[in-house]
Amino acid sequence: AKELGRNNHQFYATSMNEDALQKLSLERFLRKALGLNEFVLFYQPQVNVKSGKIFGFEALLRWKHPILGMVSPATFIPLAEETGLIVPIGEWVLESACRQIKGWHEAGNPHLTVAVNLSARQFQQDNLVEMVERVLAETGVEPQCLELEITESVTMYDVERAIMILHELKNLGIRISLDDFGTGYSSLSYLKHFPIHTLKIDQSFVRDITTDADDAAIATSVIALAHSLNRQVVAEGVETEAHLRYLAAHGCVEMQGYHFSGPLPAQEIEARFLSGKAF
Ligand code: C2E
Ligand code: CA
Ligand code: CA
Ligand code: CA
């Protein structure tokens, strides 16, 4: 038994080193990714189920590494946040998404919105608001067509400061949505203090909405809450007709999920969903 224990320990130590090594080389690759043009944005349609029309897209980051292949955001976003690399990467995401949506407007698809994820780390920057203002000016995107998605984690460094920055962003005319709503600890009190336009119902409540009474109760409560507070509500992770029907029956009109479309490269979006002679 003693022998076994030692072996186990040894095995464990080795795999820990491998993990650390792997993380180190991933970090080295990540530091070069922006300069090597390895990032690409995918766009996921957001649909108004009443009109049956796409009203906008969420921009979702993808990393295509020549050796590692397609690296999932679940792997590299946490590392990008830890290392601070999310700051320049996030700026690239905002610029690219705004340039894209402006191009789609000009090609004959006006009013489309684009939702861009903002990391908590970006809130630590002194120049976040100036950066957003500059990107709007440089790309010519109307501010009401830009939505920034935040999570409660923006408050993890300094709540007061986060609230101030959110008000400054709102004053630029852009919208703020609260992502993964319901998964944090204090969502309700934030609603009171944050200038939030939209609540995004987390996909974890949608998945089993037709079979799990608790999930259904939470999702329908979020819809009712959004309506009574005069906020928009978008359901995420809508994968089936049954999800759609249940949410629609409870007053949710705006949805996003594989049932409509997964995130796609820009050219795919153009080919499938947009009009314009350029496409
Ligand atoms: P998120 O913001 O909650 O994005 C939604 C995730 O759900 C996306 O995963 C999307 O592909 C996936 N999804 C969409 N429809 C469905 C569906 O019907 N069912 C299921 N099961 N999943 C669906 P993705 O693209 O892998 O992104 C994961 C997370 O990485 C995002 O979660 C977001 O937190 C982060 N992320 C992605 N792009 C960026 C970015 O540009 N900046 C920052 N800061 N974070 C990003
Ligand atoms: Ca999001
Ligand atoms: Ca989400
Ligand atoms: Ca999420």
Side-chain angles (χ1 to χ4, degrees), residues 67-225:
I67 298 162
L68 302 175
M70 195 72 121
V71 188
S72 158
T75 310
F76 74 83
I77 295 279
L79 186 60
E81 285 179 347
E82 211 176 291
T83 53
L85 287 167
I86 195 67
V87 173
I89 295 172
E91 186 167 341
W92 177 88
V93 169
L94 186 69
E95 278 170 2
S96 308
C98 285
R99 219 178 302 121
Q100 184 61 259
I101 206 71
K102 185 64 181 178
W104 287 341
H105 289 167
E106 287 176 339
N109 307 271
H111 315 305
L112 283 177
T113 59
V114 67
V116 173
N117 292 285
L118 218 56
S119 136
R121 199 66 190 259
Q122 293 178 272
F123 269 76
Q124 278 188 299
Q125 303 301 302
D126 287 328
N127 64 350
L128 175 65
V129 179
E130 287 83 352
M131 191 273 281
V132 174
E133 206 172 2
R134 176 183 60 75
V135 171
L136 285 172
E138 281 178 7
T139 57
V141 169
E142 304 84 338
Q144 69 273 16
C145 293
L146 175 63
E147 185 152 283
L148 295 179
E149 299 198 353
I150 60 163
T151 62
E152 286 176 24
S153 64
V154 298
T155 61
M156 76 188 178
Y157 299 108
D158 185 344
V159 192
E160 295 303 318
R161 192 159 165 272
I163 292 173
M164 198 186 72
I165 293 171
L166 286 172
H167 279 283
E168 288 176 19
L169 290 172
K170 185 200 166 170
N171 290 341
L172 295 179
I174 67 179
R175 298 165 188 242
I176 310 287
S177 64
L178 198 47
D179 205 355
D180 305 342
F181 189 74
T183 61
Y185 293 103
S186 39
S187 308
L188 291 180
S189 75
Y190 288 152
L191 274 186
K192 194 175 140 129
H193 300 290
F194 288 8
I196 300 291
H197 285 88
T198 307
L199 304 184
K200 294 193 80 174
I201 304 176
D202 191 67
Q203 53 196 45
S204 62
F205 303 117
V206 173
R207 194 172 306 126
D208 300 321
I209 199 170
T210 57
T211 52
D212 184 310
D214 290 341
D215 288 344
I218 293 169
T220 55
S221 301
V222 173
I223 297 166
L225 180 70

